[in-house]
Amino acid sequence: MRYFLLLFLLQASLTAAGQSCTLALGGIVKDADGKVLPGATIWIASLEKGIVASPDGLFEINALCPGKYEVEVKFVGYETKRLSITLPAPTVVIVLHPAIEVLHGVTVEGQHLRQHSLSQSATILTAGDLAVNQGKPLGEILQTIPGVSAMMTGPAVYKPVIHGLHGQRILLLNNGVRQDGQQWGNEHAPEIDTYIASEIEVVKGAETVRYGADALGGVVIVNPPPLSYQRGLRGELNTGFVSNNRMGVFSGTLQGGFAQPEKGSWRLQGTVKKGGDYHAAKYNLSNTGAEEIDFSAAIGFKKDEQGVEFFVSSFNTTIGILRSAHTGSLADLQRSVEQKSPAYVDDFTYRIDNPRQQINHHLIKVSAFRHTPIGKLTFLYGGQFNQRKEFDVRRGGRSNKPSLSLDLFSHAVDVSLDHTLGKLSGSAGLNFTVKDNTNVPGTGITPLIPDYDQTSAGLFILEKLRTGKWLFEGGVRVDHQHLKVMTFNQARELLKPAYDFHFFAGMLGISYYFNSQARLISNIGMSTRPPHVSELYSQGLHHGSASIEQGLLGDGDDWNITSPVRMEHAWKWVNTLQLTNEKVALEASLHVNHIDNFVYLQAAGTRLTIRGYFPFFKFNQTDALLAGSDVSFRWTMSKRLTYAGKFSWLYANDLVQHDRLPFMPPPTLDNTITLAWPAVGKLKDVYFALGLPVAFKQNRAPLTVYPEDIPDYDGHKNFDYMPAPPGYALVSAEMGTVFPAGKHSMTVSIKGENLLNTSYRNYMNRLRYFADDIGRNISIRIKYDLLKNDKPEKNQTP
Amino acid sequence: MMKTFPRSLKTDLTILPILILAVTIAACKDDPQPVNEEEVITTVIVDLVPRSGGNEIQLKWYDESGDGNPVITPSVATLITGTLYDAQITLLNETVSPVEDITEEIASEGDDHLFCFSVAGADVTVAYEDTDESGHPIGLSTTWTTGTGGDEGTLTLVLRHQPGQKDGTCPGAGETDVEVSFPIQVIE
């Protein structure tokens, strides 16, 4: 069963070379559910020697002398375990238990990640972090990570933003498959059911070598739990109730293993969600309801040297967009900016009217692996079908006709080979993707983005070298992309321009352990990204922002299909220092991203239409600098009391025009104090937490030009319709516990957000011109574990 | 709809060629057709008829393509002091043949629509002459009453679309479907 060569991370410089020092300490690290914990660190302090468990949880420390050793086993999200082991000894099974303090403050350690480079700055949201936020949109949950924010379109649409970048510059990896939706739209949120995930990782550096151009700004990795090949049936039921929008969520998972015909495992999962209008502190946010029905199924088979898994999932949602945010003209927008509350406020309802979005996303995935003499060969196919329909308020009985209707088929094939050669280990592979985007006829509106076919292929190699306290990483990638666009000119003639892009990405990184408590990681990535079809060829009127947009290839009223297309070139450098000891855990990172030919929407005058004047925005390219810092800090004051703080800050500048960039996140500071008891009577893991999230004012917001002044504005500077809203601090509280319910266990948590019912507007919310953000919100979450094979836990089997 | 997804897959890597084939099939498709833009209003006409006789006036706002660069006639509309005009609004979509009369659509959806009028720099008062089923004004038919003469001013006409939200007040909730301004002057 040992497919993987063990990964030596730390090596003592002084190892006694005695004759008898040939013993090994080997074993496996698991959690209480039997899930292996790859990446757990096993550390012998007296020898300053340690190792990281391999992807199958195994470890082995060699060249040890006989004797008694104090061994420390650590893993993010789990309580550190100290064992005393006398060698020689047979292999040990080490079982770690979740650490409650860690679950409620994000702890950052990139060490156990296996889907990205080890020198990257990354944050993991564990099952515990996810549990207290379940039912919320993915983008809202991710905001708990320093450096990650969300561009919102009202209270139900969150688009993840990493260090100021979003959309086509952020890759979402859903169960190993790159999510292919209509990411170009600012009001298009990722189509992912968060109940699927047992863990979400966010990589804040450029991972373009492994994943291609879309990962220029970072990667969000949504990981379901691995299929458990243990026999027996088990499951989990989740329910949640949210007061603000009177939402109910139900989600269930059932899984089992079987032994015939091969070693097999299956899992079924489903989620149903229904919420009505959200409520700001002082008024109802009419037409902000949402509903969602999702399901997924997985089945896997494993033999000694190979395995295969099949996965299907379906995500279906309808989301209402604030009725008052549908504007027809600049005069409408001006009124919204002046008024304190939205023009249309009605009583609470579960009904979802126009404007609304209806999205269906289906995924089929096949993955297989085989161990070869060279290493592990992995094959992955992902097929996706994304259907997006947007309904507007329309005349003449057209409201049931979508204003935008897009079908996107995509196929991705990834083949990779992980290999190890002495101190050198790495991965090489190829990615192949095909996308087919079609505007479904019958909208009666010129599409915002044209039909297109896109084919791309990439080849990469990533290598790691471990030597002593150092780890060096490097990688290169070459890509080819073929894009065929089908659009129309003013004379309604079909144009079929085609583009070929060849591009390159490279990465270098280091990781250095000063000692077992301090580590420095640094990663520099060079990325190239061809503009997306939406940046080249978008056209039309956006109702939410009352603006007319035109793509990079727009020329007057028409297209210039032959004008040269410049690719974005980015250099992103992220440096992170991690310090941990018994009392304090600190992670501080500094990042700089310099992007040449940065694609953005530039103000380009106004147009007088039958609805009055509209600002006209044209996609343009400039050189941009984005730099900032993320800090997270955890202080264990006593056995019971923990403080967790998170701070992030970003500076963004247009280097050509010396101008500010729109929609860049303001600084934020998050404070949480947690009081925890391992057991109170029959209750386990009792905790109470008080939070004070603070958002500062964006002092580098672009120039303010009120809608009524737009017709007289002839500059090209970036502008916003309203000054940045003032900063705000909200008060939140949370409590939870686990209690036995018969043979099973039940986890209950209650969370209150914006407890003082503060009226505020979030700078990153695109609907802040129209309404406040949401008011007080109390939510209750209950998780019921149906574990039939509860065996007494064995900590150690010497 | 998942037309290209293989139905059965063996637990072996031999599926790779099948998948690549499926991918290739998906890459072929028909050419799209240009969209016939609906809901376009190219033309706003206001016909003014003096009730006690005299010269009729036609104000016209015309945007050929429906996406900007309008022609507004006359350059300044001259109204006579102390006169009551009956005003009738006509909306057209002239991008299609035959020309589509949007006025009927507005009249039949009178409960959802409201014309709002504002005058700046001229002595003209606009009064509603029509109502919808709920008794709220629509504004397709109005009277324009002129006062004393003066300099050139502007009359702005806004069509508000307020499905389920109309309460008869201007501008009220909803969004703007039409917003055009005509230069006017009241003379002796």
Side-chain angles (χ1 to χ4, degrees):
Chain A
M1 287 294 286
R2 273 191 49 211
Y3 311 133
F4 294 87
L5 289 173
L6 297 170
L7 312 175
F8 283 80
L9 187 78
L10 303 169
Q11 235 170 302
S13 45
L14 298 165
T15 308
Q19 287 176 332
S20 55
C21 295
T22 54
L23 297 174
L25 169 62
I28 187 163
V29 188
K30 292 181 172 181
D31 71 3
D33 293 338
K35 194 180 99 184
V36 298
L37 299 175
T41 53
I42 298 93
W43 180 256
I44 304 174
S46 60
L47 300 180
E48 282 218 341
K49 188 168 186 172
I51 198 170
V52 172
S54 71
D56 46 9
L58 298 171
F59 67 90
E60 191 173 280
I61 303 176
N62 290 315
L64 297 173
C65 312
K68 194 174 172 184
Y69 293 96
E70 297 299 321
V71 181
E72 193 178 83
V73 185
K74 279 187 177 178
F75 189 61
V76 64
Y78 290 82
E79 280 175 0
T80 299
K81 179 157 248 164
R82 283 173 195 85
L83 310 165
S84 178
I85 294 171
T86 309
L87 288 182
T91 55
V92 290
V93 178
I94 299 168
V95 179
L96 297 186
H97 295 275
I100 201 77
E101 302 96 304
V102 178
L103 297 184
H104 302 286
V106 172
T107 305
V108 181
E109 189 163 314
Q111 199 54 70
H112 80 295
L113 304 172
R114 52 201 182 278
Q115 283 166 292
H116 60 79
S117 308
L118 295 176
S119 59
Q120 286 286 17
S121 169
T123 302
I124 306 136
L125 294 179
T126 63
D129 299 321
L130 297 175
V132 293
N133 286 308
Q134 278 297 15
K136 291 184 175 181
L138 173 68
E140 187 179 2
I141 298 176
L142 295 178
Q143 284 191 107
T144 55
I145 298 172
V148 182
S149 46
M151 181 178 275
M152 299 163 64
T153 302
V157 178
Y158 286 79
K159 195 173 182 63
V161 177
I162 301 175
H163 291 163
L165 299 179
H166 57 85
Q168 300 298 337
R169 298 185 185 97
I170 301 292
L171 179 77
L172 273 118
L173 213 61
N174 181 13
N175 195 0
V177 181
R178 58 192 65 223
Q179 183 83 358
D180 269 323
Q182 305 289 353
Q183 276 100 336
W184 51 271
N186 285 340
E187 66 275 38
H188 302 173
E191 309 86 349
I192 293 175
D193 173 16
T194 52
Y195 278 103
I196 262 182
S198 64
E199 179 184 273
I200 299 178
E201 308 172 8
V202 175
V203 186
K204 292 183 268 185
E207 269 290 285
T208 37
V209 171
R210 191 182 301 260
Y211 296 120
D214 296 344
L216 185 145
V219 189
V220 176
I221 302 168
V222 178
N223 283 326
L227 281 176
S228 162
Y229 287 87
Q230 283 188 339
R231 291 187 67 176
L233 194 68
R234 45 163 123 186
E236 187 183 298
L237 275 176
N238 279 284
T239 60
F241 302 95
V242 177
S243 72
N244 191 287
N245 59 338
R246 305 186 205 176
M247 181 175 78
V249 194
F250 302 89
S251 182
T253 308
L254 205 60
Q255 59 182 325
F258 51 90
Q260 294 297 328
E262 294 155 83
K263 207 176 176 191
S265 174
W266 58 272
R267 178 165 61 223
L268 291 172
Q269 180 266 347
T271 303
V272 178
K273 198 194 271 193
K274 174 91 182 161
D277 291 340
Y278 281 88
H279 201 277
K282 295 196 180 101
Y283 44 79
N284 207 30
L285 297 167
S286 285
N287 202 44
T288 52
E291 57 189 42
E292 196 177 306
I293 298 178
D294 314 319
F295 75 86
S296 70
I299 189 162
F301 304 94
K302 224 178 188 174
K303 276 194 219 162
D304 291 345
E305 294 296 314
Q306 58 188 21
V308 65
E309 280 183 24
F310 300 88
F311 177 84
V312 289
S313 72
S314 175
F315 174 93
N316 309 282
T317 188
T318 302
I319 304 171
I321 304 295
L322 184 74
R323 179 67 181 86
S324 296
H326 190 263
T327 52
S329 71
L330 276 183
D332 292 359
L333 198 54
Q334 178 67 28
R335 272 192 292 277
S336 295
V337 168
E338 287 168 7
Q339 283 166 358
K340 283 247 172 348
S341 57
Y344 178 71
V345 176
D346 206 348
D347 293 337
F348 172 87
T349 176
Y350 281 103
R351 209 181 62 235
I352 301 170
D353 281 329
N354 294 1
R356 68 191 151 97
Q357 307 180 346
Q358 189 183 309
I359 302 124
N360 307 95
H361 190 95
H362 312 290
L363 163 70
I364 183 164
K365 175 193 153 184
V366 182
S367 58
F369 70 89
R370 186 195 283 268
H371 289 280
T372 70
I374 322 160
K376 185 184 180 189
L377 182 68
T378 312
F379 162 84
L380 185 146
Y381 163 79
Q384 292 169 81
F385 176 46
N386 183 289
Q387 229 179 349
R388 169 174 282 271
K389 290 191 171 81
E390 294 185 4
F391 297 87
D392 265 341
V393 181
R394 298 177 76 175
R395 276 199 332 267
R398 293 185 188 89
S399 288
N400 288 323
K401 217 177 193 186
S403 300
L404 178 78
S405 179
L406 289 164
D407 282 359
L408 176 66
F409 279 96
S410 74
H411 308 269
V413 175
D414 293 346
V415 181
S416 66
L417 179 69
D418 297 333
H419 53 271
T420 309
L421 214 93
K423 287 180 175 178
L424 198 69
S425 66
S427 182
L430 59 94
N431 310 131
F432 181 61
T433 60
V434 174
K435 294 184 200 185
D436 172 356
N437 183 62
T438 310
N439 282 282
V440 181
T443 58
I445 290 180
T446 304
L448 287 174
I449 68 161
D451 290 9
Y452 67 88
D453 288 334
Q454 184 184 305
T455 318
S456 40
L459 265 171
F460 72 90
I461 182 158
L462 278 160
E463 292 297 328
K464 287 190 274 284
L465 178 71
R466 288 192 169 83
T467 162
K469 295 176 172 183
W470 290 90
L471 170 105
F472 300 95
E473 274 186 308
V476 287
R477 179 189 181 96
V478 284
D479 268 294
H480 174 83
Q481 188 195 96
H482 178 77
L483 174 68
K484 189 173 104 183
V485 181
M486 280 145 284
T487 190
F488 295 90
N489 63 10
Q490 279 294 96
R492 293 165 64 85
E493 293 159 344
L494 180 65
L495 306 175
K496 283 189 185 179
Y499 304 90
D500 282 286
F501 301 104
H502 301 274
F503 49 104
F504 174 81
M507 184 271 280
L508 279 175
I510 58 151
S511 161
Y512 176 70
Y513 271 90
F514 298 97
N515 52 50
S516 70
Q517 298 183 338
R519 182 168 81 130
L520 176 75
I521 57 177
S522 179
N523 182 288
I524 187 159
M526 196 285 274
S527 316
T528 315
R529 184 184 74 95
H532 185 253
V533 68
S534 66
E535 293 160 332
L536 295 170
Y537 280 104
S538 75
Q539 59 176 342
L541 177 68
H542 282 259
H543 278 288
S545 53
S547 61
I548 296 171
E549 290 182 10
Q550 192 186 40
L552 282 168
L553 297 179
D555 182 14
D557 283 339
D558 234 316
W559 301 116
N560 182 356
I561 60 171
T562 53
S563 81
V565 176
R566 289 179 297 156
M567 289 188 272
E568 276 185 356
H569 293 285
W571 286 91
K572 186 165 186 177
W573 188 22
V574 188
N575 299 288
T576 307
L577 183 67
Q578 296 171 333
L579 302 169
T580 45
N581 65 31
E582 301 295 306
K583 291 265 172 218
V584 174
L586 173 76
E587 166 160 323
S589 73
L590 275 172
H591 55 91
V592 182
N593 196 357
H594 183 281
I595 309 174
D596 282 346
N597 302 330
F598 180 73
V599 180
Y600 77 113
L601 271 175
Q602 188 188 31
T606 58
R607 284 203 179 169
L608 178 61
T609 76
I610 202 136
R611 297 183 195 201
Y613 282 95
F614 281 105
F616 176 60
F617 289 92
K618 192 174 183 317
F619 278 96
N620 203 342
Q621 290 179 294
T622 186
D623 296 343
L625 177 75
L626 290 93
S629 177
D630 302 329
V631 179
S632 60
F633 174 72
R634 198 163 49 83
W635 177 27
T636 312
M637 289 180 265
S638 75
K639 246 176 147 178
R640 311 235 177 285
L641 201 60
T642 313
Y643 165 82
K646 288 174 251 172
F647 175 75
S648 63
W649 161 81
L650 178 76
Y651 167 89
N653 199 17
D654 176 337
L655 297 172
V656 178
Q657 295 202 91
H658 307 288
D659 194 10
R660 295 162 176 196
L661 293 168
F663 275 108
M664 288 294 162
T668 54
L669 173 67
D670 190 30
N671 305 280
T672 313
I673 285 185
T674 308
L675 198 55
W677 297 265
V680 179
K682 278 194 167 180
L683 302 179
K684 281 200 317 186
D685 300 336
V686 181
Y687 74 91
F688 179 81
L690 205 62
L692 187 76
V694 181
F696 296 93
K697 187 183 171 178
Q698 178 52 283
N699 286 322
R700 283 188 51 83
L703 175 75
T704 302
V705 180
Y706 286 98
E708 61 183 2
D709 300 328
I710 296 280
D712 301 324
Y713 178 70
D714 55 2
H716 292 283
K717 273 194 175 281
N718 291 317
F719 64 81
D720 197 350
Y721 297 126
M722 227 174 145
Y728 53 87
L730 306 175
V731 177
S732 65
E734 188 183 317
M735 55 199 279
T737 186
V738 179
F739 60 87
K743 279 170 76 180
H744 313 306
S745 77
M746 203 149 140
T747 311
V748 180
S749 68
I750 301 174
K751 189 170 186 171
E753 289 159 290
N754 191 4
L755 283 173
L756 302 182
N757 207 25
T758 307
S759 291
Y760 71 99
R761 294 193 183 193
N762 181 342
Y763 178 73
M764 296 297 283
N765 189 342
R766 295 172 65 251
L767 301 194
R768 69 184 151 86
Y769 310 122
F770 309 100
D772 288 344
D773 276 83
I774 69 169
R776 187 181 294 123
N777 189 14
I778 314 284
S779 48
I780 300 174
R781 291 175 178 83
I782 302 165
K783 188 178 111 178
Y784 187 63
D785 281 313
L786 306 162
L787 266 170
K788 279 204 174 165
N789 48 353
D790 286 342
K791 286 179 198 142
E793 292 160 1
K794 285 181 188 168
N795 283 355
Q796 197 180 328
T797 328
Chain B
M1 283 302 288
M2 286 185 266
K3 56 186 176 183
T4 56
F5 294 162
R7 283 196 187 141
S8 67
L9 295 162
K10 290 181 181 173
T11 60
D12 197 52
L13 291 180
T14 51
I15 49 176
L16 186 62
I18 302 169
L19 292 169
I20 289 174
L21 188 71
V23 161
T24 321
I25 293 164
C28 309
K29 63 175 180 179
D30 298 335
D31 284 347
Q33 297 299 313
V35 171
N36 291 314
E37 192 84 18
E38 297 169 14
E39 286 176 280
V40 176
I41 303 175
T42 56
T43 315
V44 179
I45 296 169
V46 186
D47 284 303
L48 296 168
V49 182
R51 200 171 273 183
S52 49
N55 286 338
E56 294 179 8
I57 303 163
Q58 186 179 70
L59 312 180
K60 188 173 176 183
W61 200 102
Y62 174 60
D63 174 9
E64 188 186 0
S65 57
D67 62 359
N69 307 316
V71 180
I72 304 161
T73 51
S75 55
V76 181
T78 49
L79 284 72
I80 309 300
T81 54
T83 309
L84 178 74
Y85 291 90
D86 283 307
Q88 197 65 42
I89 296 176
T90 307
L91 303 175
L92 301 174
N93 175 8
E94 298 186 61
T95 60
V96 290
S97 177
V99 169
E100 185 187 3
D101 187 352
I102 315 272
T103 323
E104 293 162 21
E105 196 177 289
I106 304 295
S108 67
E109 290 182 355
D111 276 345
D112 294 347
H113 290 98
L114 175 67
F115 281 95
C116 295
F117 301 87
S118 59
V119 186
D123 189 358
V124 177
T125 314
V126 180
Y128 291 102
E129 286 293 308
D130 53 3
T131 54
D132 64 18
E133 287 169 5
S134 317
H136 297 309
I138 302 172
L140 282 168
S141 301
T142 50
T143 55
W144 295 19
T145 311
T146 55
T148 54
D151 293 337
E152 188 186 320
T154 329
L155 184 134
T156 304
L157 172 163
V158 178
L159 173 60
R160 303 285 293 158
H161 186 208
Q162 308 171 308
Q165 299 162 292
K166 183 174 171 181
D167 62 4
T169 59
C170 275
E175 57 276 317
T176 299
D177 273 1
V178 168
E179 180 177 327
V180 295
S181 294
F182 294 105
I184 56 168
Q185 190 172 15
V186 180
I187 55 166
E188 288 282 339

